[in-house]
Amino acid sequence: MKKTIIFSAAALVLAACATQPKFDGPAYLNPNAPVEERVEDALSRMTLEEKVGMTTAQSKFSSRGVPRLGIPEVWHTDGPHGIRPEVLWDEWDQAGWTNDSCTAFPALINLAATWDKEMSMLYGTSIGEEARYRKKDILLGPGVNICRTPYNGRNFEYMGEDPFLAGQMVVPYVQGVQKNGVAACVKHYAVNNQEFQRTQSNSVVDDRTLHEIYLPAFKAAVQEGDAWAIMGSYNLYNGQYNCHNKKLLCDILKGDWGFDGVVVSDWGGCRDSEEAILNGLDIEMGTWTNGLTGAASDSYRNYHMADPYLEGLRSGKYTTKELDDKVRRILRTIFRTSMRPEPNYGRFVCPEHYQAARDISAAGVVLLKNDNNTLPLNVPEGGKILLVGENAVKKMVVGGGSSNLKTAYEVNPLEGIQNAYGDKAEIVWVRGYVGDITRSYNRVDTGQDLSDDRTPEVLIAEAVEAAKDADYVIFVGGLNKSHHQDCEGADRIQLDLPYAQEDVIRALAEVTDNLVVVNISGSPVSMPWADDANAIVQGWYGGTETGNALADVLTGKVNPSGRLPFTIPYKYEDGPIKTERQYPGIKEEGSPYWQTHYDEGIYVGYRWYDTKEIPVQFPFGHGLSYTTFEYGDAKAAKASMTADGKMTVTVNVKNTGEREGAEIVQLYIADPVAGIDRPAKELKGFEKICLKPGESKTVSFEIDSADLSYYSIEENGWKAEAGEFQALIGPSSEDIRATASFELK
């Protein structure tokens, strides 16, 4: 007589922690067995119903396990910037826990602005520790969609306009998260570059543009970072929804790239049972319980890959081939995370994470302008610093969509300056303008009442009067995380600063010679007022330690080393988006979708501005320091290289100033005699170096044929043309200090 053995949770823990040299239980419970052996053993023991059950959600943020076999459910969590507060079983609203206030890390655009792979590793490791402590298996992030348009509401969650920069920064993040036994779920795959009509937008993109601009960061995450999870995006690509897009998921991700992890739908992103079953989706998650609209709380069985899938299997419509592949991937994820052999308990809201958040935030602050060395602040004893602007006091962790967090604390810029100066200077704040007075999101409350019914004229007059006797006036404005700004679900509607902030800046400039403008945003804003400011600082949503990090830079405790991860144009019309069909898209006859045509092709960001020789306010890669750097001549190791060889290019960089500082040395490649249309230059390397006054270092870049290649539609692959190339080295895409030419044979 056969017996069914049920393994309790306690038994599983004992099994996982067993130190005996021999394990007599089932192979899938043996923590020391190879993962693939465990996967196959578990799969062989599962019923059809149990297999299908694993492919769909059972609550807002969990999917099913197999209780009979002791295989745990899978717990997912937002987001890329911190561990979301616990929510109700079927709702977005928080569950009311008192011990789920996380460390809020800087927005990913802030991380990208560090141009520092070590900071990315620190970020991933720290947030991975917080996720593991909260017993989360899949972290829904990082995001690496390209900043195609500055209007995209989720640019702040991504890593800028350049695929190479995003690819280099995503790899350490993924590795840091996953060494904690938490799967990084890289999102939103792919060509998901706007929030307008995001569930009805069809991205029409040619293959060259797809492979050169919109896929490289995902590819790097998979092939270099070994990401364990990928999230499909809401939009369609070339007419098929991306959560079950055959070309993206089956042909490219799981085929060409060899991805062996799990594909998770965005919440409600699964729209068709047959496509989901056949085209590579592994776990279907949802908003509410029937995809996109409300339903009874027991309706998870109605999901596309739940009962409809089971019925199709029983009727013979589907075979178990696709199902077994899905379950293998889910089991592989479980054995890499909650059932991994190495015990890992993580850490949560600890001093080390607070310091990490502060260091990352400060490293990403970009000094855009600094006339007459206005910064760092040099306030006399007993002097006065005036802060003007809502963003000096507004808490920014709450809101913005799925990255909404409940943090243990949040230091705003006013508090950061107060902390820096204590009683050594008078610190005054006045409102200046009224922007977003929202105080809660998904029942996470800031505790702030920012309501103010005074007129703009009164607010400006108050600010001007307070500025007259101030040693420094610091205007802290920009965007926020409300609708039509930096926020999921809607795009921006203008490139200029909202709430008539320009009027405040110009009025302040009339009464002070020490005006510092700090722009807090996750996307580019136009700055027609730039000439009125003595110094301009690009800040970000810096999380828990925003204010302290900003104060570190303003006071000179930290020498700024951040660089722009996107271009700041003079005006939106200068950019590559010229027609409605490009953005936001058009309704074409016979189609239910908004057709968004990527007619600009590969000419995104600086590729457009530099190639077309269009002046910009601040170029990609730009950022100043409180010291200065001198570049020597670039030297190529040899005059030519072969297609299967490598080339080393070096440049000497010297700190010629009086402060220790860090420089981001950037390598761009140009193909001046290309036989095909190519950008003027493309980023292919960068290194952050720290130099003491008078110190020099030689920076080396290794180039191979991949760095010289373009994607050939005709040959369906990458191709490097023989001929002359140039290695261009400098501190930004516009400021090239050294050039070395070489030939590809």
Side-chain angles (χ1 to χ4, degrees):
M1 180 178 178
K2 294 182 179 179
K3 295 182 179 179
T4 299
I5 301 175
I6 300 177
F7 295 89
S8 67
L12 290 176
V13 171
L14 290 173
C17 299
T19 57
Q20 295 89 344
K22 184 178 179 182
F23 186 89
D24 294 325
Y28 76 92
L29 289 177
N30 182 357
N32 297 314
V35 168
E36 295 309 308
E37 182 180 331
R38 300 177 74 187
V39 167
E40 294 304 319
D41 183 57
L43 185 69
S44 70
R45 299 169 185 272
M46 294 170 60
T47 67
L48 186 68
E49 291 77 11
E50 288 168 342
K51 291 179 182 179
V52 172
M54 295 189 78
T55 66
T56 53
Q58 66 171 2
S59 74
K60 181 63 68 182
F61 280 106
S62 68
S63 52
R64 292 177 176 83
V66 185
R68 179 181 65 87
L69 298 177
I71 296 174
E73 56 205 4
V74 178
W75 279 92
H76 314 241
T77 182
D78 283 319
H81 308 142
I83 310 309
R84 188 175 187 139
E86 299 298 329
V87 301
L88 299 172
W89 188 256
D90 287 323
E91 305 288 340
W92 290 114
D93 287 342
Q94 64 170 325
W97 289 23
T98 58
N99 61 348
D100 58 348
S101 296
C102 70
T103 303
F105 294 94
L108 288 185
I109 194 68
N110 190 158
L111 174 63
T114 69
W115 291 60
D116 188 332
K117 287 160 272 193
E118 291 183 5
M119 284 292 177
S120 183
M121 175 61 77
L122 174 64
Y123 195 127
T125 301
S126 302
I127 197 171
E129 288 174 345
E130 298 231 340
R132 176 44 57 210
Y133 183 91
R134 291 269 298 279
K135 299 180 180 179
K136 307 303 181 184
D137 305 309
I138 298 179
L139 177 72
L140 303 175
V144 291
N145 292 106
I146 296 298
C147 178
R148 175 181 179 243
T149 167
Y151 285 176
N152 183 15
R154 298 187 85 167
N155 281 334
F156 75 101
E157 293 188 50
Y158 301 141
M159 296 189 183
E161 71 185 28
D162 183 74
F164 182 84
L165 174 63
Q168 291 291 297
M169 294 300 290
V170 72
V171 169
Y173 182 113
V174 168
Q175 294 170 335
V177 169
Q178 293 184 168
K179 70 181 182 181
N180 291 285
V182 177
C185 188
V186 186
K187 63 183 188 181
H188 302 90
Y189 184 72
V191 285
N192 180 235
N193 309 107
Q194 65 187 63
E195 289 298 283
F196 176 79
Q197 296 290 342
R198 62 180 180 172
T199 64
Q200 300 294 322
S201 176
N202 177 39
S203 299
V204 183
V205 190
D206 67 81
D207 279 355
R208 183 184 178 194
T209 300
L210 179 73
H211 284 274
E212 289 192 22
I213 304 297
Y214 298 104
L215 292 188
F218 289 103
K219 183 178 182 180
V222 169
Q223 294 193 328
E224 299 174 44
D226 192 26
W228 295 340
I230 291 286
M231 180 190 286
S233 59
Y234 280 129
N235 58 300
L236 302 91
Y237 157 66
N238 287 0
Q240 192 171 55
Y241 275 106
N242 287 356
C243 284
H244 32 78
N245 188 294
K246 181 180 183 301
K247 181 174 180 178
L248 290 178
L249 298 180
C250 298
D251 299 343
I252 296 175
L253 178 65
K254 295 181 176 180
D256 296 345
W257 299 350
F259 176 67
D260 70 353
V262 64
V263 174
V264 180
S265 78
D266 204 339
W267 269 229
C270 180
R271 308 297 286 272
D272 182 271
S273 290
E274 184 167 339
E275 286 190 1
I277 291 163
L278 299 178
N279 291 352
L281 180 62
D282 299 315
I283 300 179
E284 179 185 0
M285 301 300 291
T287 301
W288 300 103
T289 50
N290 69 341
L292 289 171
T293 59
S297 61
D298 60 352
S299 294
Y300 292 103
R301 299 307 321 172
N302 293 330
Y303 271 30
H304 295 95
M305 293 207 307
D307 285 350
Y309 193 4
L310 189 58
E311 292 167 7
L313 287 161
R314 287 171 174 166
S315 69
K317 181 178 180 180
Y318 307 116
T319 70
T320 58
K321 175 186 176 183
E322 292 82 14
L323 177 62
D324 286 348
D325 180 69
K326 298 176 193 299
V327 176
R328 283 188 177 96
R329 293 171 182 276
I330 298 168
L331 288 170
R332 196 173 289 129
T333 302
I334 292 171
F335 294 140
R336 286 168 167 170
T337 58
S338 59
M339 293 184 72
R340 73 193 306 231
E342 303 89 356
N344 189 315
Y345 305 104
R347 294 186 294 176
F348 197 61
V349 290
C350 58
E352 293 83 358
H353 291 174
Y354 298 149
Q355 189 63 50
R358 183 170 181 167
D359 291 345
I360 295 164
S361 181
V365 172
V366 184
L367 180 61
L368 297 177
K369 177 183 177 181
N370 194 25
D371 286 355
N372 301 318
N373 295 320
T374 300
L375 292 175
L377 298 173
N378 184 20
V379 184
E381 187 79 21
K384 175 182 175 182
I385 302 175
L386 172 68
L387 276 78
V388 181
E390 182 175 281
N391 283 1
V393 299
K394 183 175 176 59
K395 293 183 178 180
M396 294 289 196
V397 166
V398 174
S402 60
S403 62
N404 176 59
L405 297 174
K406 183 171 74 173
T407 186
Y409 68 89
E410 180 179 356
V411 180
N412 64 40
L414 173 62
E415 293 167 338
I417 294 294
Q418 290 172 332
N419 293 339
Y421 283 96
D423 58 1
K424 296 179 181 178
E426 179 187 8
I427 312 298
V428 179
W429 172 75
V430 297
R431 186 65 177 262
Y433 69 93
V434 177
D436 174 33
I437 63 172
T438 305
R439 59 179 293 167
S440 64
Y441 188 90
N442 291 144
R443 297 186 183 177
V444 180
D445 198 296
T446 65
Q448 286 186 304
D449 182 4
L450 294 177
S451 57
D452 194 326
D453 59 3
R454 289 178 293 171
T455 66
E457 292 76 15
V458 170
L459 292 170
I460 291 176
E462 177 190 47
V464 167
E465 186 61 30
K468 290 178 179 177
D469 64 344
D471 295 285
Y472 284 91
V473 178
I474 305 175
F475 177 83
V476 187
L479 307 181
N480 52 52
K481 291 186 177 180
S482 64
H483 206 58
H484 291 305
Q485 297 205 40
D486 284 319
C487 185
E488 178 183 359
D491 287 341
R492 294 169 60 193
I493 56 177
Q494 63 183 42
L495 196 63
D496 294 338
L497 288 175
Y499 316 123
Q501 293 175 67
E502 182 178 338
D503 295 339
V504 187
I505 294 171
R506 293 194 187 281
L508 292 171
E510 293 290 330
V511 294
T512 180
D513 292 326
N514 281 327
L515 175 60
V516 178
V517 175
V518 177
N519 178 65
I520 305 292
S521 71
S523 298
V525 301
S526 60
M527 301 180 179
W529 39 265
D531 290 343
D532 297 303
N534 304 97
I536 303 174
V537 173
Q538 175 63 48
W540 315 96
Y541 307 116
T544 287
E545 286 284 336
T546 296
N548 287 332
L550 182 61
D552 286 345
V553 173
L554 295 178
T555 60
K557 181 179 180 181
V558 170
N559 194 341
S561 61
R563 301 295 182 263
L564 285 178
F566 48 60
T567 304
I568 299 180
Y570 282 107
K571 56 184 184 297
Y572 182 80
E573 292 73 20
D574 289 341
I577 306 298
K578 300 295 185 184
T579 66
E580 187 180 353
R581 86 180 231 123
Q582 288 176 279
Y583 176 84
I586 57 175
K587 275 286 191 72
E588 295 180 349
E589 186 176 353
S591 173
Y593 307 116
W594 289 78
Q595 308 294 332
T596 305
H597 296 264
Y598 287 49
D599 294 335
E600 71 283 358
I602 59 174
Y603 293 98
V604 176
Y606 71 91
R607 286 169 169 80
W608 166 265
Y609 296 104
D610 290 359
T611 304
K612 304 298 181 182
E613 298 182 342
I614 298 172
V616 298
Q617 188 100 57
F618 297 106
F620 173 79
H622 172 72
L624 304 176
S625 170
Y626 295 149
T627 188
T628 54
F629 300 95
E630 180 181 86
Y631 285 66
D633 295 332
K635 298 179 181 179
K638 48 191 176 181
S640 63
M641 62 180 283
T642 59
D644 58 353
K646 296 181 183 295
M647 167 72 72
T648 300
V649 177
T650 59
V651 67
N652 187 264
V653 180
K654 181 179 181 180
N655 183 344
T656 55
E658 299 178 354
R659 288 174 175 263
E660 182 176 351
E663 174 74 323
I664 310 295
V665 184
Q666 302 165 38
L667 167 71
Y668 297 84
I669 294 294
D671 186 357
V673 290
I676 190 173
D677 197 23
R678 300 195 72 174
K681 64 178 77 76
E682 296 179 284
L683 181 71
K684 293 298 179 181
F686 61 90
E687 291 296 333
K688 182 175 183 177
I689 57 169
C690 296
L691 298 172
K692 296 177 180 179
E695 184 182 7
S696 298
K697 283 185 181 178
T698 298
V699 180
S700 297
F701 295 102
E702 190 174 76
I703 300 167
D704 60 24
S705 61
D707 297 316
L708 313 179
S709 300
Y710 67 90
Y711 189 87
S712 170
I713 295 177
E714 293 77 13
E715 299 183 23
N716 195 29
W718 294 90
K719 179 179 180 179
E721 291 183 311
E724 180 188 354
F725 288 85
Q726 293 178 332
L728 312 174
I729 301 176
S732 79
S733 65
E734 190 177 87
D735 187 3
I736 300 302
R737 305 280 184 88
T739 301
S741 297
F742 60 93
E743 183 182 7
L744 177 66
K745 291 188 175 180

